[in-house]
Amino acid sequence: MVPDAIPALKTQQPGKDPGKDPGKDILAELPAYDLIELFFFAYRDFVSDPDRILDEYGFGRAHHRVLHFVSRQPGLTIAELLDILRITKQSLNRVLKELLEKNFIESRTGTSDRRQRLLFATAQGHELALKLAKLQTRRIMRALSEMEPEAKELVSGYLLRLIDPDDTAHVKQLVFGPKETHKET
């Protein structure tokens, strides 16, 4: 049974003033096991629906991440994708090779720099990325619908604050910046 209200954080101790320096007193206490575990369980279920579909293609979560960002940002370079995913070139090469061979992504030569490889989702790749995103959107929207109207803004702010401060501006640009629509050329 799901509780109607989320219990108070176990990490906050009586007598502490979180307003003076949020996080300072909390760090001196026990780890935030409740939030850590909720993150683990939420992530497990958030990826479970796409995992089942990806398995039908012989793909995993790494394929999903690559396909997601390439579909959302047509013309992404390999260097940009490596920067977004923060994985090694070797890890990306294996996944990218499979997506290219199975015609989910195509690589094109750059127009201004012929050494550059630009990545595009094929129609099949874009369709799969969209199908997976819709599954995850359904889960997110169901959770938000059971919360206050301003919950989406609060959740977005919370997630942004979990990102390393030196990467926040970059992530904001990727997530909220202008997006190109998917083009097939």
Side-chain angles (χ1 to χ4, degrees), residues 24-57:
K24 185 176 182 184
D25 289 333
I26 291 173
L27 290 176
E29 303 300 325
L30 291 174
Y33 289 123
D34 52 346
L35 294 178
I36 292 168
E37 291 169 5
L38 285 171
F39 253 88
F40 285 138
F41 291 122
Y43 179 73
R44 176 198 67 191
D45 292 348
F46 180 70
V47 297
S48 67
D49 298 325
D51 281 352
R52 284 189 284 279
I53 291 170
L54 291 162
D55 191 49
E56 294 171 15
Y57 295 90

Side-chain angles (χ1 to χ4, degrees), residues 108-118 120:
R108 301 179 195 162
T109 304
T111 52
S112 59
D113 182 350
R114 303 211 31 92
R115 295 169 297 174
Q116 203 172 43
R117 306 304 298 164
L118 306 178
F120 294 85

Side-chain angles (χ1 to χ4, degrees), residues 97-115:
K97 182 179 182 216
E98 289 179 58
L99 289 167
L100 288 163
E101 286 174 353
K102 293 184 177 183
N103 197 35
F104 285 87
I105 288 180
E106 63 183 16
S107 175
R108 301 179 195 162
T109 304
T111 52
S112 59
D113 182 350
R114 303 211 31 92
R115 295 169 297 174

